[in-house]
Amino acid sequence: MKFLTFLTIVIGYFVYLTYKPYLLDIAIASLMAVAFGKVSVLIANRIKNKYIVSSIVTLIFAVLIFGPILYFVITAGKFISHINIEDIKQIILKVQNLLEYLPGFLADKAHQYINLDNIVQIYNTIAPIIGTLTAKSAVFIKDAFLIVVFFFFATLYGKEILGFFRKIIPLENHQLEKLFFSTSEVMSVVFYSTVFTAIFEGILFGIIVKIYGFNFLFFSVMYAFSSLIPVIGGVIMWGPVSLYLYSIDNTTGALVVAVYSIIMISIVADTFVKPMIIEYVKNTFEADTELNSLLIFFSIVAGLSSFGLWGIIIGPAVTAMFISVLQFYEKF
């Protein structure tokens, strides 16, 4: 028995070394397979072929997650590469005019940072990074492809994997099933409510900027991603857009975008519509879990700081799994 334990440790170490470059991709795919567990069950109730079910769920996952991300990365790279320093200077000059309306000590402090010399220096620093971002896009596409592949197999062989864990984990079958489905339940509600809310707010922002000639799809996707950042997420989008409209002497458009974003998105959508979306998702998945929005925000921020862009997925997923385990201990 001691030899078997030693052999398992040695083999496990070499397995780790072999699959180390893909562990993050496997982890993301596995967590998402758990989050999509309810969807798989709903589709499996109507379609009995597990290969078709896994293919449909994987297609939904790929379109819902990586479709907007890939579009954003590629389009943003093109957009950044065409930024004109003269346009930025024009915007800065307009912003300096606005600073005159601030109290004296605030205006002086702001002028130290918002001036043409600083902006040119920042632009010259950022410009060489653009090529690196383009190269990173290729790596991102590779990771996205691997995650989709791993997700397909995790969905396809989910029951077999769960059956294996039933044999090696010292828990009763009903306890293990309860742990798995409660985890899937919490992750599903967190994931889908976050995604649907971001999509809804992104569409609202896309509508208003489309009126003033901006790309509807691109700015909808950008706002959807930025809305995941607590407190300042929306300002990151509507602030620059309003400043740009003001810099081209469209003061009315700048005010409309700012007021619309604050009232319709930050207040109406985030305060009143978001709880309705969460309730709808909970009813759809027949979940009885209670979600704390502040906890979701912190999990996204922590995930972003630890794992980068993938933290949007990993942060809430790991937090949801941890909550499920705690609830499991409470019940059993």
Side-chain angles (χ1 to χ4, degrees):
M1 189 66 183
K2 292 183 179 179
F3 175 75
L4 182 60
T5 302
F6 173 76
L7 185 63
T8 302
I9 294 174
V10 172
I11 295 176
Y13 174 71
F14 282 101
V15 169
Y16 165 76
L17 292 180
T18 303
Y19 291 97
K20 183 179 178 180
Y22 308 104
L23 289 179
L24 182 60
D25 297 337
I26 294 173
I28 294 172
S30 301
L31 290 171
M32 288 296 95
V34 174
F36 276 74
K38 289 276 188 177
V39 176
S40 299
V41 172
L42 292 174
I43 297 176
N45 290 335
R46 295 170 173 80
I47 302 175
K48 301 305 179 183
N49 189 309
K50 69 176 185 177
Y51 293 97
I52 297 178
V53 172
S54 298
S55 299
I56 294 175
V57 175
T58 302
L59 180 62
I60 295 173
F61 167 71
V63 172
L64 182 63
I65 302 299
F66 294 113
I69 291 178
L70 288 176
Y71 172 80
F72 169 75
V73 170
I74 295 172
T75 308
K78 295 179 180 178
F79 176 78
I80 294 174
S81 63
H82 289 86
I83 291 179
N84 190 336
I85 186 63
E86 296 302 324
D87 294 337
I88 297 178
K89 289 181 179 179
Q90 182 66 25
I91 295 175
I92 296 304
L93 290 174
K94 289 289 185 177
V95 172
Q96 288 178 330
N97 294 334
L98 289 176
L99 295 179
E100 298 176 359
Y101 298 97
L102 294 176
F105 69 97
L106 288 178
D108 294 338
K109 196 71 176 178
H111 274 294
Q112 296 178 10
Y113 299 97
I114 304 177
N115 58 70
L116 294 180
D117 293 334
N118 284 344
I119 297 302
V120 171
Q121 182 179 357
I122 294 173
Y123 179 83
N124 292 333
T125 303
I126 294 177
I129 302 176
I130 296 176
T132 304
L133 291 176
T134 304
K136 290 286 186 181
S137 299
V139 176
F140 178 84
I141 293 173
K142 181 208 71 175
D143 289 338
F145 173 77
L146 290 175
I147 290 172
V148 170
V149 172
F150 291 140
F151 177 87
F152 172 79
F153 286 107
T155 305
L156 181 63
Y157 296 110
K159 290 184 178 179
E160 288 80 357
I161 295 173
L162 180 60
F164 173 75
F165 282 117
R166 282 177 180 172
K167 297 177 182 178
I168 64 174
I169 294 179
L171 290 175
E172 299 290 338
N173 285 344
H174 71 281
Q175 291 179 328
L176 187 59
E177 289 182 359
K178 180 64 178 178
L179 176 61
F180 174 80
F181 285 111
S182 62
T183 301
S184 176
E185 181 180 277
V186 174
M187 288 178 61
S188 297
V189 175
V190 172
F191 175 74
Y192 290 114
S193 60
T194 302
V195 170
F196 291 159
T197 301
I199 292 174
F200 177 69
E201 293 183 357
I203 291 174
L204 288 179
F205 185 73
I207 291 173
I208 191 64
V209 298
K210 175 66 176 177
I211 296 175
Y212 296 99
F214 293 93
N215 186 314
F216 168 80
L217 183 58
F218 177 66
F219 279 90
S220 295
V221 173
M222 286 187 66
Y223 193 96
F225 283 118
S226 66
S227 67
L228 299 175
I229 303 174
V231 184
I232 64 171
V235 181
I236 293 175
M237 284 305 305
W238 65 257
V241 171
S242 295
L243 286 176
Y244 173 76
L245 291 173
Y246 177 74
S247 71
I248 59 175
D249 296 325
N250 190 347
T251 306
T252 301
L255 290 174
V256 169
V257 169
V259 174
Y260 173 91
S261 299
I262 294 173
I263 296 178
M264 289 299 298
I265 302 178
S266 299
I267 297 178
V268 176
D270 212 40
T271 305
F272 299 104
V273 179
K274 183 177 180 179
M276 296 171 59
I277 293 176
I278 294 176
E279 192 63 30
Y280 173 78
V281 172
K282 288 171 63 176
N283 292 335
T284 301
F285 290 95
E286 299 178 351
D288 58 358
T289 182
E290 293 295 331
L291 297 176
N292 188 310
S293 298
L294 186 61
L295 181 61
I296 296 174
F297 288 153
F298 277 123
S299 68
I300 292 174
V301 173
L304 286 170
S305 62
S306 300
F307 300 100
L309 182 61
W310 298 121
I312 295 176
I313 297 174
I314 297 177
V318 171
T319 303
M321 182 173 290
F322 179 68
I323 292 174
S324 297
V325 172
L326 292 180
Q327 292 176 342
F328 174 80
Y329 277 111
E330 182 182 11
K331 294 177 181 178
F332 293 98

PDB file of all heavy atoms in Angstrom, residues 282-317:
ATOM      1  N   LYS A 282     -33.160  32.646 -11.189  1.00  0.00           N
ATOM      2  CA  LYS A 282     -33.394  31.733 -10.069  1.00  0.00           C
ATOM      3  C   LYS A 282     -34.635  30.877 -10.314  1.00  0.00           C
ATOM      4  O   LYS A 282     -34.639  29.668 -10.042  1.00  0.00           O
ATOM      5  CB  LYS A 282     -33.551  32.524  -8.774  1.00  0.00           C
ATOM      6  CG  LYS A 282     -32.247  33.132  -8.272  1.00  0.00           C
ATOM      7  CD  LYS A 282     -32.475  34.086  -7.124  1.00  0.00           C
ATOM      8  CE  LYS A 282     -33.061  33.396  -5.924  1.00  0.00           C
ATOM      9  NZ  LYS A 282     -33.202  34.321  -4.776  1.00  0.00           N
ATOM     10  N   ASN A 283     -35.682  31.492 -10.838  1.00  0.00           N
ATOM     11  CA  ASN A 283     -36.904  30.733 -11.124  1.00  0.00           C
ATOM     12  C   ASN A 283     -36.693  29.755 -12.281  1.00  0.00           C
ATOM     13  O   ASN A 283     -37.220  28.633 -12.263  1.00  0.00           O
ATOM     14  CB  ASN A 283     -38.047  31.690 -11.464  1.00  0.00           C
ATOM     15  CG  ASN A 283     -38.475  32.520 -10.266  1.00  0.00           C
ATOM     16  OD1 ASN A 283     -38.289  32.111  -9.119  1.00  0.00           O
ATOM     17  ND2 ASN A 283     -39.030  33.694 -10.515  1.00  0.00           N
ATOM     18  N   THR A 284     -35.924  30.175 -13.285  1.00  0.00           N
ATOM     19  CA  THR A 284     -35.663  29.305 -14.427  1.00  0.00           C
ATOM     20  C   THR A 284     -34.909  28.054 -14.008  1.00  0.00           C
ATOM     21  O   THR A 284     -35.212  26.942 -14.466  1.00  0.00           O
ATOM     22  CB  THR A 284     -34.859  30.056 -15.503  1.00  0.00           C
ATOM     23  OG1 THR A 284     -35.601  31.212 -15.928  1.00  0.00           O
ATOM     24  CG2 THR A 284     -34.585  29.162 -16.708  1.00  0.00           C
ATOM     25  N   PHE A 285     -33.913  28.226 -13.134  1.00  0.00           N
ATOM     26  CA  PHE A 285     -33.109  27.087 -12.686  1.00  0.00           C
ATOM     27  C   PHE A 285     -33.617  26.484 -11.383  1.00  0.00           C
ATOM     28  O   PHE A 285     -32.961  25.612 -10.804  1.00  0.00           O
ATOM     29  CB  PHE A 285     -31.648  27.523 -12.520  1.00  0.00           C
ATOM     30  CG  PHE A 285     -30.958  27.814 -13.813  1.00  0.00           C
ATOM     31  CD1 PHE A 285     -30.881  29.107 -14.304  1.00  0.00           C
ATOM     32  CD2 PHE A 285     -30.401  26.795 -14.561  1.00  0.00           C
ATOM     33  CE1 PHE A 285     -30.247  29.383 -15.504  1.00  0.00           C
ATOM     34  CE2 PHE A 285     -29.763  27.064 -15.760  1.00  0.00           C
ATOM     35  CZ  PHE A 285     -29.693  28.360 -16.231  1.00  0.00           C
ATOM     36  N   GLU A 286     -34.801  26.987 -10.939  1.00  0.00           N
ATOM     37  CA  GLU A 286     -35.424  26.473  -9.722  1.00  0.00           C
ATOM     38  C   GLU A 286     -34.442  26.503  -8.550  1.00  0.00           C
ATOM     39  O   GLU A 286     -34.282  25.528  -7.808  1.00  0.00           O
ATOM     40  CB  GLU A 286     -35.945  25.051  -9.940  1.00  0.00           C
ATOM     41  CG  GLU A 286     -36.999  24.960 -11.035  1.00  0.00           C
ATOM     42  CD  GLU A 286     -37.456  23.542 -11.275  1.00  0.00           C
ATOM     43  OE1 GLU A 286     -36.835  22.617 -10.703  1.00  0.00           O
ATOM     44  OE2 GLU A 286     -38.431  23.344 -12.012  1.00  0.00           O
ATOM     45  N   ALA A 287     -33.759  27.629  -8.423  1.00  0.00           N
ATOM     46  CA  ALA A 287     -32.752  27.780  -7.372  1.00  0.00           C
ATOM     47  C   ALA A 287     -33.349  28.519  -6.187  1.00  0.00           C
ATOM     48  O   ALA A 287     -34.148  29.438  -6.345  1.00  0.00           O
ATOM     49  CB  ALA A 287     -31.541  28.550  -7.908  1.00  0.00           C
ATOM     50  N   ASP A 288     -32.953  28.085  -4.986  1.00  0.00           N
ATOM     51  CA  ASP A 288     -33.418  28.751  -3.777  1.00  0.00           C
ATOM     52  C   ASP A 288     -32.296  29.474  -3.046  1.00  0.00           C
ATOM     53  O   ASP A 288     -32.403  29.843  -1.891  1.00  0.00           O
ATOM     54  CB  ASP A 288     -34.066  27.741  -2.819  1.00  0.00           C
ATOM     55  CG  ASP A 288     -33.087  26.629  -2.435  1.00  0.00           C
ATOM     56  OD1 ASP A 288     -31.953  26.637  -2.933  1.00  0.00           O
ATOM     57  OD2 ASP A 288     -33.483  25.753  -1.631  1.00  0.00           O
ATOM     58  N   THR A 289     -31.171  29.662  -3.753  1.00  0.00           N
ATOM     59  CA  THR A 289     -30.017  30.313  -3.135  1.00  0.00           C
ATOM     60  C   THR A 289     -30.196  31.823  -3.117  1.00  0.00           C
ATOM     61  O   THR A 289     -30.829  32.401  -3.999  1.00  0.00           O
ATOM     62  CB  THR A 289     -28.728  29.972  -3.903  1.00  0.00           C
ATOM     63  OG1 THR A 289     -27.625  30.591  -3.253  1.00  0.00           O
ATOM     64  CG2 THR A 289     -28.780  30.472  -5.328  1.00  0.00           C
ATOM     65  N   GLU A 290     -29.649  32.457  -2.085  1.00  0.00           N
ATOM     66  CA  GLU A 290     -29.667  33.908  -1.972  1.00  0.00           C
ATOM     67  C   GLU A 290     -28.295  34.453  -2.380  1.00  0.00           C
ATOM     68  O   GLU A 290     -27.268  33.963  -1.919  1.00  0.00           O
ATOM     69  CB  GLU A 290     -30.001  34.333  -0.542  1.00  0.00           C
ATOM     70  CG  GLU A 290     -31.421  33.977  -0.115  1.00  0.00           C
ATOM     71  CD  GLU A 290     -32.469  34.715  -0.918  1.00  0.00           C
ATOM     72  OE1 GLU A 290     -32.169  35.844  -1.374  1.00  0.00           O
ATOM     73  OE2 GLU A 290     -33.559  34.174  -1.104  1.00  0.00           O
ATOM     74  N   LEU A 291     -28.298  35.457  -3.215  1.00  0.00           N
ATOM     75  CA  LEU A 291     -27.045  36.004  -3.729  1.00  0.00           C
ATOM     76  C   LEU A 291     -26.800  37.388  -3.144  1.00  0.00           C
ATOM     77  O   LEU A 291     -27.725  38.175  -2.991  1.00  0.00           O
ATOM     78  CB  LEU A 291     -27.086  36.093  -5.255  1.00  0.00           C
ATOM     79  CG  LEU A 291     -27.219  34.775  -6.001  1.00  0.00           C
ATOM     80  CD1 LEU A 291     -27.346  35.046  -7.488  1.00  0.00           C
ATOM     81  CD2 LEU A 291     -26.039  33.871  -5.732  1.00  0.00           C
ATOM     82  N   ASN A 292     -25.565  37.661  -2.837  1.00  0.00           N
ATOM     83  CA  ASN A 292     -25.152  38.967  -2.362  1.00  0.00           C
ATOM     84  C   ASN A 292     -24.415  39.673  -3.494  1.00  0.00           C
ATOM     85  O   ASN A 292     -23.349  39.233  -3.916  1.00  0.00           O
ATOM     86  CB  ASN A 292     -24.241  38.808  -1.136  1.00  0.00           C
ATOM     87  CG  ASN A 292     -23.942  40.146  -0.477  1.00  0.00           C
ATOM     88  OD1 ASN A 292     -23.550  41.094  -1.140  1.00  0.00           O
ATOM     89  ND2 ASN A 292     -24.143  40.216   0.825  1.00  0.00           N
ATOM     90  N   SER A 293     -25.006  40.747  -3.994  1.00  0.00           N
ATOM     91  CA  SER A 293     -24.415  41.445  -5.148  1.00  0.00           C
ATOM     92  C   SER A 293     -23.021  41.958  -4.838  1.00  0.00           C
ATOM     93  O   SER A 293     -22.134  41.936  -5.690  1.00  0.00           O
ATOM     94  CB  SER A 293     -25.314  42.611  -5.574  1.00  0.00           C
ATOM     95  OG  SER A 293     -26.585  42.144  -5.981  1.00  0.00           O
ATOM     96  N   LEU A 294     -22.813  42.444  -3.604  1.00  0.00           N
ATOM     97  CA  LEU A 294     -21.491  42.946  -3.228  1.00  0.00           C
ATOM     98  C   LEU A 294     -20.454  41.825  -3.277  1.00  0.00           C
ATOM     99  O   LEU A 294     -19.319  42.035  -3.717  1.00  0.00           O
ATOM    100  CB  LEU A 294     -21.551  43.549  -1.823  1.00  0.00           C
ATOM    101  CG  LEU A 294     -20.280  44.250  -1.327  1.00  0.00           C
ATOM    102  CD1 LEU A 294     -19.934  45.421  -2.240  1.00  0.00           C
ATOM    103  CD2 LEU A 294     -20.469  44.732   0.113  1.00  0.00           C
ATOM    104  N   LEU A 295     -20.865  40.620  -2.859  1.00  0.00           N
ATOM    105  CA  LEU A 295     -19.952  39.474  -2.903  1.00  0.00           C
ATOM    106  C   LEU A 295     -19.593  39.132  -4.348  1.00  0.00           C
ATOM    107  O   LEU A 295     -18.446  38.793  -4.656  1.00  0.00           O
ATOM    108  CB  LEU A 295     -20.594  38.267  -2.218  1.00  0.00           C
ATOM    109  CG  LEU A 295     -19.750  36.992  -2.154  1.00  0.00           C
ATOM    110  CD1 LEU A 295     -18.470  37.237  -1.372  1.00  0.00           C
ATOM    111  CD2 LEU A 295     -20.550  35.862  -1.519  1.00  0.00           C
ATOM    112  N   ILE A 296     -20.573  39.225  -5.244  1.00  0.00           N
ATOM    113  CA  ILE A 296     -20.315  38.970  -6.658  1.00  0.00           C
ATOM    114  C   ILE A 296     -19.321  39.987  -7.211  1.00  0.00           C
ATOM    115  O   ILE A 296     -18.380  39.652  -7.929  1.00  0.00           O
ATOM    116  CB  ILE A 296     -21.629  39.018  -7.460  1.00  0.00           C
ATOM    117  CG1 ILE A 296     -22.572  37.890  -7.010  1.00  0.00           C
ATOM    118  CG2 ILE A 296     -21.357  38.884  -8.963  1.00  0.00           C
ATOM    119  CD1 ILE A 296     -23.936  37.952  -7.656  1.00  0.00           C
ATOM    120  N   PHE A 297     -19.515  41.263  -6.855  1.00  0.00           N
ATOM    121  CA  PHE A 297     -18.600  42.303  -7.307  1.00  0.00           C
ATOM    122  C   PHE A 297     -17.172  42.027  -6.838  1.00  0.00           C
ATOM    123  O   PHE A 297     -16.215  42.107  -7.615  1.00  0.00           O
ATOM    124  CB  PHE A 297     -19.053  43.677  -6.790  1.00  0.00           C
ATOM    125  CG  PHE A 297     -20.280  44.207  -7.476  1.00  0.00           C
ATOM    126  CD1 PHE A 297     -21.134  45.081  -6.821  1.00  0.00           C
ATOM    127  CD2 PHE A 297     -20.581  43.820  -8.767  1.00  0.00           C
ATOM    128  CE1 PHE A 297     -22.266  45.571  -7.461  1.00  0.00           C
ATOM    129  CE2 PHE A 297     -21.711  44.303  -9.418  1.00  0.00           C
ATOM    130  CZ  PHE A 297     -22.553  45.173  -8.755  1.00  0.00           C
ATOM    131  N   PHE A 298     -17.026  41.708  -5.555  1.00  0.00           N
ATOM    132  CA  PHE A 298     -15.696  41.453  -5.005  1.00  0.00           C
ATOM    133  C   PHE A 298     -15.059  40.220  -5.648  1.00  0.00           C
ATOM    134  O   PHE A 298     -13.842  40.183  -5.874  1.00  0.00           O
ATOM    135  CB  PHE A 298     -15.765  41.277  -3.488  1.00  0.00           C
ATOM    136  CG  PHE A 298     -15.771  42.578  -2.730  1.00  0.00           C
ATOM    137  CD1 PHE A 298     -16.801  42.879  -1.858  1.00  0.00           C
ATOM    138  CD2 PHE A 298     -14.762  43.505  -2.907  1.00  0.00           C
ATOM    139  CE1 PHE A 298     -16.817  44.077  -1.163  1.00  0.00           C
ATOM    140  CE2 PHE A 298     -14.770  44.713  -2.220  1.00  0.00           C
ATOM    141  CZ  PHE A 298     -15.800  44.999  -1.342  1.00  0.00           C
ATOM    142  N   SER A 299     -15.867  39.211  -5.939  1.00  0.00           N
ATOM    143  CA  SER A 299     -15.319  37.998  -6.563  1.00  0.00           C
ATOM    144  C   SER A 299     -14.803  38.300  -7.969  1.00  0.00           C
ATOM    145  O   SER A 299     -13.785  37.749  -8.399  1.00  0.00           O
ATOM    146  CB  SER A 299     -16.381  36.897  -6.611  1.00  0.00           C
ATOM    147  OG  SER A 299     -17.434  37.228  -7.500  1.00  0.00           O
ATOM    148  N   ILE A 300     -15.492  39.184  -8.692  1.00  0.00           N
ATOM    149  CA  ILE A 300     -15.042  39.568 -10.031  1.00  0.00           C
ATOM    150  C   ILE A 300     -13.753  40.376  -9.956  1.00  0.00           C
ATOM    151  O   ILE A 300     -12.797  40.138 -10.708  1.00  0.00           O
ATOM    152  CB  ILE A 300     -16.133  40.375 -10.758  1.00  0.00           C
ATOM    153  CG1 ILE A 300     -17.336  39.471 -11.065  1.00  0.00           C
ATOM    154  CG2 ILE A 300     -15.598  40.977 -12.057  1.00  0.00           C
ATOM    155  CD1 ILE A 300     -18.526  40.195 -11.638  1.00  0.00           C
ATOM    156  N   VAL A 301     -13.701  41.342  -9.021  1.00  0.00           N
ATOM    157  CA  VAL A 301     -12.489  42.159  -8.862  1.00  0.00           C
ATOM    158  C   VAL A 301     -11.305  41.281  -8.465  1.00  0.00           C
ATOM    159  O   VAL A 301     -10.200  41.402  -9.012  1.00  0.00           O
ATOM    160  CB  VAL A 301     -12.720  43.259  -7.803  1.00  0.00           C
ATOM    161  CG1 VAL A 301     -11.421  43.992  -7.498  1.00  0.00           C
ATOM    162  CG2 VAL A 301     -13.776  44.239  -8.290  1.00  0.00           C
ATOM    163  N   ALA A 302     -11.524  40.377  -7.491  1.00  0.00           N
ATOM    164  CA  ALA A 302     -10.455  39.482  -7.055  1.00  0.00           C
ATOM    165  C   ALA A 302     -10.002  38.576  -8.196  1.00  0.00           C
ATOM    166  O   ALA A 302      -8.809  38.331  -8.384  1.00  0.00           O
ATOM    167  CB  ALA A 302     -10.926  38.641  -5.867  1.00  0.00           C
ATOM    168  N   GLY A 303     -10.971  38.086  -8.975  1.00  0.00           N
ATOM    169  CA  GLY A 303     -10.633  37.226 -10.104  1.00  0.00           C
ATOM    170  C   GLY A 303      -9.834  37.958 -11.165  1.00  0.00           C
ATOM    171  O   GLY A 303      -8.859  37.424 -11.698  1.00  0.00           O
ATOM    172  N   LEU A 304     -10.219  39.193 -11.454  1.00  0.00           N
ATOM    173  CA  LEU A 304      -9.497  39.981 -12.455  1.00  0.00           C
ATOM    174  C   LEU A 304      -8.061  40.259 -12.021  1.00  0.00           C
ATOM    175  O   LEU A 304      -7.134  40.194 -12.822  1.00  0.00           O
ATOM    176  CB  LEU A 304     -10.231  41.311 -12.697  1.00  0.00           C
ATOM    177  CG  LEU A 304     -11.535  41.242 -13.506  1.00  0.00           C
ATOM    178  CD1 LEU A 304     -12.251  42.581 -13.451  1.00  0.00           C
ATOM    179  CD2 LEU A 304     -11.254  40.851 -14.947  1.00  0.00           C
ATOM    180  N   SER A 305      -7.873  40.570 -10.743  1.00  0.00           N
ATOM    181  CA  SER A 305      -6.527  40.868 -10.254  1.00  0.00           C
ATOM    182  C   SER A 305      -5.651  39.622 -10.197  1.00  0.00           C
ATOM    183  O   SER A 305      -4.426  39.725 -10.336  1.00  0.00           O
ATOM    184  CB  SER A 305      -6.600  41.506  -8.863  1.00  0.00           C
ATOM    185  OG  SER A 305      -7.200  40.611  -7.934  1.00  0.00           O
ATOM    186  N   SER A 306      -6.253  38.455 -10.007  1.00  0.00           N
ATOM    187  CA  SER A 306      -5.478  37.215  -9.862  1.00  0.00           C
ATOM    188  C   SER A 306      -5.264  36.493 -11.184  1.00  0.00           C
ATOM    189  O   SER A 306      -4.189  35.933 -11.423  1.00  0.00           O
ATOM    190  CB  SER A 306      -6.169  36.264  -8.877  1.00  0.00           C
ATOM    191  OG  SER A 306      -6.304  36.849  -7.604  1.00  0.00           O
ATOM    192  N   PHE A 307      -6.280  36.493 -12.060  1.00  0.00           N
ATOM    193  CA  PHE A 307      -6.216  35.694 -13.276  1.00  0.00           C
ATOM    194  C   PHE A 307      -6.366  36.506 -14.559  1.00  0.00           C
ATOM    195  O   PHE A 307      -6.448  35.928 -15.638  1.00  0.00           O
ATOM    196  CB  PHE A 307      -7.302  34.603 -13.254  1.00  0.00           C
ATOM    197  CG  PHE A 307      -7.178  33.658 -12.099  1.00  0.00           C
ATOM    198  CD1 PHE A 307      -7.975  33.810 -10.966  1.00  0.00           C
ATOM    199  CD2 PHE A 307      -6.276  32.610 -12.137  1.00  0.00           C
ATOM    200  CE1 PHE A 307      -7.867  32.933  -9.900  1.00  0.00           C
ATOM    201  CE2 PHE A 307      -6.172  31.725 -11.077  1.00  0.00           C
ATOM    202  CZ  PHE A 307      -6.957  31.892  -9.957  1.00  0.00           C
ATOM    203  N   GLY A 308      -6.435  37.838 -14.440  1.00  0.00           N
ATOM    204  CA  GLY A 308      -6.617  38.631 -15.639  1.00  0.00           C
ATOM    205  C   GLY A 308      -8.049  38.530 -16.153  1.00  0.00           C
ATOM    206  O   GLY A 308      -9.000  38.416 -15.371  1.00  0.00           O
ATOM    207  N   LEU A 309      -8.209  38.563 -17.474  1.00  0.00           N
ATOM    208  CA  LEU A 309      -9.537  38.534 -18.084  1.00  0.00           C
ATOM    209  C   LEU A 309     -10.326  37.294 -17.687  1.00  0.00           C
ATOM    210  O   LEU A 309     -11.535  37.348 -17.486  1.00  0.00           O
ATOM    211  CB  LEU A 309      -9.402  38.603 -19.604  1.00  0.00           C
ATOM    212  CG  LEU A 309     -10.713  38.634 -20.404  1.00  0.00           C
ATOM    213  CD1 LEU A 309     -11.534  39.865 -20.028  1.00  0.00           C
ATOM    214  CD2 LEU A 309     -10.433  38.615 -21.887  1.00  0.00           C
ATOM    215  N   TRP A 310      -9.625  36.159 -17.548  1.00  0.00           N
ATOM    216  CA  TRP A 310     -10.325  34.923 -17.173  1.00  0.00           C
ATOM    217  C   TRP A 310     -10.909  35.005 -15.769  1.00  0.00           C
ATOM    218  O   TRP A 310     -11.761  34.210 -15.402  1.00  0.00           O
ATOM    219  CB  TRP A 310      -9.374  33.737 -17.263  1.00  0.00           C
ATOM    220  CG  TRP A 310      -8.847  33.483 -18.630  1.00  0.00           C
ATOM    221  CD1 TRP A 310      -7.539  33.472 -19.022  1.00  0.00           C
ATOM    222  CD2 TRP A 310      -9.605  33.200 -19.816  1.00  0.00           C
ATOM    223  NE1 TRP A 310      -7.430  33.204 -20.359  1.00  0.00           N
ATOM    224  CE2 TRP A 310      -8.684  33.043 -20.875  1.00  0.00           C
ATOM    225  CE3 TRP A 310     -10.965  33.085 -20.087  1.00  0.00           C
ATOM    226  CZ2 TRP A 310      -9.082  32.757 -22.164  1.00  0.00           C
ATOM    227  CZ3 TRP A 310     -11.360  32.818 -21.376  1.00  0.00           C
ATOM    228  CH2 TRP A 310     -10.435  32.657 -22.398  1.00  0.00           C
ATOM    229  N   GLY A 311     -10.453  35.966 -14.971  1.00  0.00           N
ATOM    230  CA  GLY A 311     -10.971  36.110 -13.615  1.00  0.00           C
ATOM    231  C   GLY A 311     -12.446  36.440 -13.566  1.00  0.00           C
ATOM    232  O   GLY A 311     -13.109  36.193 -12.555  1.00  0.00           O
ATOM    233  N   ILE A 312     -12.977  37.007 -14.666  1.00  0.00           N
ATOM    234  CA  ILE A 312     -14.414  37.281 -14.741  1.00  0.00           C
ATOM    235  C   ILE A 312     -15.195  35.984 -14.600  1.00  0.00           C
ATOM    236  O   ILE A 312     -16.298  35.950 -14.036  1.00  0.00           O
ATOM    237  CB  ILE A 312     -14.761  37.975 -16.075  1.00  0.00           C
ATOM    238  CG1 ILE A 312     -14.091  39.350 -16.136  1.00  0.00           C
ATOM    239  CG2 ILE A 312     -16.262  38.114 -16.253  1.00  0.00           C
ATOM    240  CD1 ILE A 312     -14.291  40.066 -17.458  1.00  0.00           C
ATOM    241  N   ILE A 313     -14.623  34.887 -15.093  1.00  0.00           N
ATOM    242  CA  ILE A 313     -15.252  33.579 -14.993  1.00  0.00           C
ATOM    243  C   ILE A 313     -14.843  32.865 -13.713  1.00  0.00           C
ATOM    244  O   ILE A 313     -15.682  32.354 -12.977  1.00  0.00           O
ATOM    245  CB  ILE A 313     -14.886  32.704 -16.215  1.00  0.00           C
ATOM    246  CG1 ILE A 313     -15.428  33.327 -17.496  1.00  0.00           C
ATOM    247  CG2 ILE A 313     -15.407  31.289 -16.043  1.00  0.00           C
ATOM    248  CD1 ILE A 313     -14.996  32.614 -18.760  1.00  0.00           C
ATOM    249  N   ILE A 314     -13.524  32.860 -13.429  1.00  0.00           N
ATOM    250  CA  ILE A 314     -13.018  32.061 -12.322  1.00  0.00           C
ATOM    251  C   ILE A 314     -13.437  32.636 -10.969  1.00  0.00           C
ATOM    252  O   ILE A 314     -13.825  31.888 -10.056  1.00  0.00           O
ATOM    253  CB  ILE A 314     -11.477  31.971 -12.396  1.00  0.00           C
ATOM    254  CG1 ILE A 314     -11.056  31.256 -13.676  1.00  0.00           C
ATOM    255  CG2 ILE A 314     -10.925  31.229 -11.186  1.00  0.00           C
ATOM    256  CD1 ILE A 314      -9.554  31.179 -13.871  1.00  0.00           C
ATOM    257  N   GLY A 315     -13.371  33.964 -10.810  1.00  0.00           N
ATOM    258  CA  GLY A 315     -13.691  34.585  -9.525  1.00  0.00           C
ATOM    259  C   GLY A 315     -15.066  34.198  -8.997  1.00  0.00           C
ATOM    260  O   GLY A 315     -15.189  33.601  -7.919  1.00  0.00           O
ATOM    261  N   PRO A 316     -16.148  34.524  -9.735  1.00  0.00           N
ATOM    262  CA  PRO A 316     -17.479  34.147  -9.261  1.00  0.00           C
ATOM    263  C   PRO A 316     -17.670  32.632  -9.158  1.00  0.00           C
ATOM    264  O   PRO A 316     -18.370  32.156  -8.257  1.00  0.00           O
ATOM    265  CB  PRO A 316     -18.411  34.736 -10.337  1.00  0.00           C
ATOM    266  CG  PRO A 316     -17.628  35.830 -10.955  1.00  0.00           C
ATOM    267  CD  PRO A 316     -16.202  35.373 -10.943  1.00  0.00           C
ATOM    268  N   ALA A 317     -17.051  31.867 -10.066  1.00  0.00           N
ATOM    269  CA  ALA A 317     -17.223  30.413 -10.046  1.00  0.00           C
ATOM    270  C   ALA A 317     -16.628  29.800  -8.781  1.00  0.00           C
ATOM    271  O   ALA A 317     -17.277  28.991  -8.100  1.00  0.00           O
ATOM    272  CB  ALA A 317     -16.580  29.789 -11.287  1.00  0.00           C
TER     273      ALA A 317
END
